[in-house]
């Protein structure tokens, strides 16, 4: 089962949606049957690389609202994030352009750690309030994730993976993605937005039934207790 996820690292609902999808995969026992592919999207490609504005000030300017109104809006989003175990730090995060972060994710995908990098970048922005638009921050994150520093630095200073990121964004437009998160399962079904874990689970079960995919068994009880294996028994 292939699940393609269009998302942006400054999209609060993308992180929430990711958690709800993971919850659904665990609940349905289909986690080891799913290949998750992360696709790039930019909510606002015109956002500067760095900014001294608070996220509330940036939102107020963008939507023509007062800062007090945007604070209430982000408080509501933070409350939703808490329901899936995420503690958003809207007080300290600032607007950031994510194009280079998406390029870093493409490098990580090349190295086989796409999922881990996507998680790290989302946590960097929403939990740790890091400036993920800045190359020095991305270099540090890359080092944490085990990527070669010289390779990463050369990538960030070039236009490598620029076409790949742009192709993801173009593809999103072609299949009708108007906002993120957007999930495509087996190129048959699309799920728009951070739906509930129950909605995700229902969709996953539907696709699994159509494709003849059997979920893994849920093993109950304590691990390796009262078990005989490989010619020996746990006494």
């Amino acid at each position: 089962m292939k699940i393609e996820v269009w998302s942006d690292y400054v999209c609060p609902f993308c992180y929430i949606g990711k958690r709800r999808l993971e919850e659904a995969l665990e609940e349905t026992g289909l986690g080891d049957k799913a290949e998750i592919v992360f696709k790039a999207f930019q909510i606002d490609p015109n956002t500067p690389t760095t900014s001294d504005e608070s996220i509330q000030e940036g939102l107020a300017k963008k939507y023509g609202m007062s800062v007090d109104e945007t604070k209430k809006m982000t408080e509501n989003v933070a409350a939703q994030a808490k329901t899936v175990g995420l503690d958003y730090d809207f007080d300290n995060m600032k607007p950031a352009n994510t194009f280079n972060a998406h390029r870093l994710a493409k490098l990580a995908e090349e190295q086989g750690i796409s999922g881990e990098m996507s998680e790290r970048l989302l946590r960097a922005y929403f939990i740790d309030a890091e400036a993920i638009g800045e190359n020095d921050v991305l270099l540090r994150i890359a080092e944490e994730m085990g990527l070669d520093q010289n390779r990463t630095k050369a990538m960030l200073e070039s236009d490598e993976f620029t076409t790949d990121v742009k192709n993801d964004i173009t593809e999103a437009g072609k299949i009708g993605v108007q906002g993120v998160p957007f999930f495509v399962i087996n190129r048959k079904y699309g799920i728009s937005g951070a739906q509930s874990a129950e909605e995700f689970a229902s969709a996953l079960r539907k696709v699994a039934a159509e494709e003849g995919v059997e979920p893994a068994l849920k093993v109950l009880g304590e691990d390796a207790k009262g078990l005989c294996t490989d010619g020996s028994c746990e006494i």
Side-chain angles (χ1 to χ4, degrees):
M1 185 184 301
K2 185 175 183 178
I3 305 173
E4 295 165 286
V5 184
W6 271 267
S7 61
D8 197 6
Y9 298 117
V10 293
C11 163
F13 293 108
C14 289
Y15 207 179
I16 295 170
K18 181 176 182 292
R19 278 292 183 273
R20 289 175 178 169
L21 172 63
E22 291 165 350
E23 183 180 334
L25 286 166
E26 168 116 13
E27 171 63 26
T28 58
L30 292 167
D32 63 345
K33 309 292 184 180
E35 174 195 3
I36 301 178
V37 179
F38 292 95
K39 299 276 196 173
F41 192 92
Q42 281 198 288
I43 298 172
D44 186 358
N46 296 315
T47 303
T49 300
T50 59
S51 175
D52 291 328
E53 288 183 329
S54 69
I55 196 69
Q56 286 93 354
E57 290 169 339
L59 289 170
K61 185 182 296 183
K62 183 176 181 178
Y63 295 113
M65 304 168 68
S66 70
V67 171
D68 285 341
E69 287 174 322
T70 58
K71 282 184 177 180
K72 289 179 182 177
M73 184 170 68
T74 55
E75 285 170 2
N76 289 335
V77 176
Q80 290 189 54
K82 282 185 181 296
T83 67
V84 290
L86 299 172
D87 292 314
Y88 283 2
D89 186 7
F90 280 114
D91 288 337
N92 291 303
M93 68 179 72
K94 300 179 185 299
N97 190 294
T98 56
F99 195 86
N100 282 344
H102 283 299
R103 291 203 298 132
L104 177 59
K106 293 297 182 186
L107 176 61
E109 182 177 15
E110 187 181 77
Q111 301 299 312
I113 56 168
S114 174
E116 294 88 343
M117 181 59 80
S118 290
E119 173 68 25
R120 180 64 184 91
L121 288 167
L122 285 164
R123 179 167 68 85
Y125 188 70
F126 286 105
I127 309 299
D128 302 329
E130 296 187 83
I132 62 169
E134 298 180 6
N135 282 357
D136 59 338
V137 173
L138 296 178
L139 277 167
R140 177 169 49 75
I141 290 172
E143 184 176 24
E144 288 177 16
M145 300 300 295
L147 297 181
D148 181 82
Q149 283 290 280
N150 291 330
R151 173 78 176 90
T152 305
K153 188 172 186 293
M155 182 276 293
L156 290 171
E157 291 176 351
S158 71
D159 63 354
E160 189 178 4
F161 299 116
T162 292
T163 299
D164 302 77
V165 172
K166 288 182 176 179
N167 284 346
D168 281 356
I169 295 170
T170 299
E171 186 180 13
K174 287 180 178 178
I175 65 173
V177 178
Q178 296 181 340
V180 288
F182 195 90
F183 306 82
V184 176
I185 306 176
N186 281 6
R187 285 289 164 141
K188 292 177 68 176
Y189 299 101
I191 301 174
S192 180
Q195 302 292 331
S196 67
E198 291 76 17
E199 289 286 343
F200 278 119
S202 177
L204 292 170
R205 290 190 182 101
K206 178 179 177 64
V207 175
E210 291 177 354
E211 302 291 340
V213 177
E214 293 291 334
L217 290 175
K218 290 186 178 180
V219 180
L220 305 177
E222 297 181 29
D223 291 342
K225 185 175 183 180
L227 183 69
C228 293
T229 180
D230 294 333
S232 64
C233 293
E234 190 77 23
I235 303 299

